[in-house]
Amino acid sequence: MATPEGAHVAFSTDTTQFAPIAPRRAAIKKETRIDFGDLSRGREMSDLAASGQQDPSGEETSGQSRRRAGRSGGRAGGGAARRAERTALRNDPVPRITRDIPNFEMLSGDALSVVEANAEIVLEEVGVNFVNNPNALARWRAAGADVQGERVHIPRGLARRLCQTAPASFTQHARNPVNNVEIGGKDLVLAPVYGPPFVRDTIGGRRYATMEDFRTFVKLGQMSKWLHHSGGTVCEPTDLPVNKRHLDMLLAHMTLSDKPFMGSVTEPQRAQDSVDMCGILFGEKFVQQNTVMTSLININSPLTFDDTMMGALEVYAANNQACIISPFIVGGAMAPVSVMGTLTQVLAEVMAGIAYAQLVRPGAPVVFGAFVTSIDMNSGAPTFGTPEASQILYGAGQLARRLNLPFRSGGGLCGSKLPDAQAAYESAHTLNAALLGGVNFMLHACGWLEGGLVASFEKFVMDADQLGALHKMAGGVTTDENAQAMDAIREVGPGGHYLGCAHTQRNFKTAFWRSKLLDYKPFETWDEEGARDTQVLAAERVALLLSQYQQPALDPAIAEALNAFVAERKAATPDAFM
């Protein structure tokens, strides 16, 4: 079985035993009966309806319309135009979040020094295992490590010195340059869920993922304004052979989206296929001189680096492609139960992995990763959105910044089986911690359910909507003359209201972040429209986004070459589902 991040062993199943339900997007559109006018009115302020005050947009609330029945005005055309403007689905790209807020520094400098010293002791005295990888052992031996069998004891300071050749930030190029992302510094790049073998929606329920599901997620990612990255294995297409599905997944990212994407890591040859396909898409010379993939290399915690992951890392590092070196830790099972102990192990593992990437190619782009969750000591199940996980995230971010490296952590993580209140609470805790903790690359930012076993279409758009709030929060507080609003305070004076003043009229469109999904209507309106909960609204938005999806243009010659490569690679080997 795959880990929740889908990294170590590709999930496989005999699909003939199951009857996967194809994603019925058309059925969703039909059954939910989207009313575009209703979607736009759902953004209005319910307190205006109760008071009968004028909406700043110039539109009447339901309370006003009843009191002003029979009256007509010249504002109708303007209101209709504004409704049409809000209803129109625009997908203006937002390449990344650039923070204008400070990082939350939870641990003192003394505490961080203790973690760093202990991590050096772990590397030197305990050591790390590089299994089934003679080449890695030879590289470490040549670098000065004490290699005993497959155990590598790294002298104090060696791993840290090797990490110094890794860049502090790098640009990942997309085939559409508008969507290039900078990974590092004050920037935060958001990528979708990664690795689930199951999918869920309101029509088909929980089922094994198919390639059509995968393509649907890629399209949703392309249409999601606040999502900067197309991701990698957004779900495992179990209807395709394990040894060939990576080709179809890469082809989907390359043709259905023009955002950056991740490469395959489940076998070194699949990593090489990823590099070769990028050579077709971007040009071989461009790939060798620029980073066009950022891929996930999970560590088998505790302290073990397997040949599959390291083989993929070797391919990517040698070709100047970025790797996220990320321990996969469930506290209490794969690391100590304490925050300080877990941080020590995380730092030791990450430094060993990044140092090895630099042994393969000095200057290879890398990301300091930390996927850490706690465990329910009664059931043994992983738990998400916990205080301890956030504390580790904050501390790991501080350690990454002291190494001058980009940092990966966080996500819309939850253990809930449905996109419900539990999912919302747990996801919100981690999303906010990632923003405040200085995360530069956030995998699993939308769509994650059931501890990473399920990718949910509804939760994908629910999370993607909330990512807009992170953008707003990251912008900090504007303090210029307009923001001070002294003209508004003078104009309104004691006892007045601000809805009609000049300052509000100038700023109301951008003053407050507005959800494209959540319902803010008065109870009566909400009830009349079917008392739809958030999951129903999310299903409607999935249908809306897919109905307006347009495939980004791609040079036909490049598309033909990619398809030919995929066909040739598939024909070269028999299918395998293990």
Side-chain angles (χ1 to χ4, degrees), residues 494-506:
H497 70 77
Y498 287 84
L499 290 173
C501 79
H503 184 271
T504 300
Q505 293 297 312
R506 288 198 310 271

Side-chain angles (χ1 to χ4, degrees), residues 376-459:
D376 178 5
M377 288 298 184
N378 289 324
S379 67
T383 54
F384 299 90
T386 61
E388 296 80 11
S390 292
Q391 290 170 341
I392 293 168
L393 185 157
Y394 290 131
Q398 291 177 266
L399 293 167
R401 289 189 289 277
R402 283 162 72 101
L403 280 170
N404 200 29
L405 292 169
F407 177 45
R408 172 262 165 148
S409 195
L413 310 179
C414 65
S416 182
K417 285 69 180 172
L418 296 170
D420 55 12
Q422 178 185 343
Y425 282 132
E426 292 175 343
S427 297
H429 284 311
T430 311
L431 289 173
N432 284 302
L435 176 66
L436 298 176
V439 169
N440 301 117
F441 188 91
M442 191 198 301
L443 199 57
H444 312 306
C446 55
W448 169 293
L449 267 187
E450 203 179 317
L453 289 174
V454 172
S456 162
F457 293 102
E458 287 78 25
K459 189 164 185 291

Side-chain angles (χ1 to χ4, degrees), residues 38 41-44 46 515-523 525-527 529 531-534 537:
D38 289 345
R41 285 301 301 164
R43 317 302 169 231
E44 307 306 327
S46 59
S515 168
K516 297 292 186 182
L517 174 68
L518 303 182
D519 187 286
Y520 301 127
K521 300 176 185 177
F523 172 82
T525 305
W526 171 79
D527 190 51
E529 294 174 352
R532 296 170 296 176
D533 63 17
T534 304
L537 295 174

Side-chain angles (χ1 to χ4, degrees), residues 30 55 64 68 72 83 87 97 122 130 155 160 182 185 191 210 242 319 330 342 346 403 406 427 467 506 573:
K30 180 178 179 181
D55 183 328
Q64 284 177 292
R68 300 185 185 184
S72 61
R83 281 195 298 274
T87 302
I97 292 176
V122 169
F130 277 75
R160 185 172 288 271
E182 187 74 14
T210 67
V242 170
N319 288 279
V330 179
T342 296
V346 165
L403 280 170
S427 297
L467 298 180
R506 288 198 310 271
T573 55

Side-chain angles (χ1 to χ4, degrees), residues 480-501:
D480 60 13
E481 184 176 351
N482 179 67
Q484 294 171 36
M486 290 302 295
D487 57 331
I489 297 172
R490 290 190 177 98
E491 178 183 345
V492 173
H497 70 77
Y498 287 84
L499 290 173
C501 79

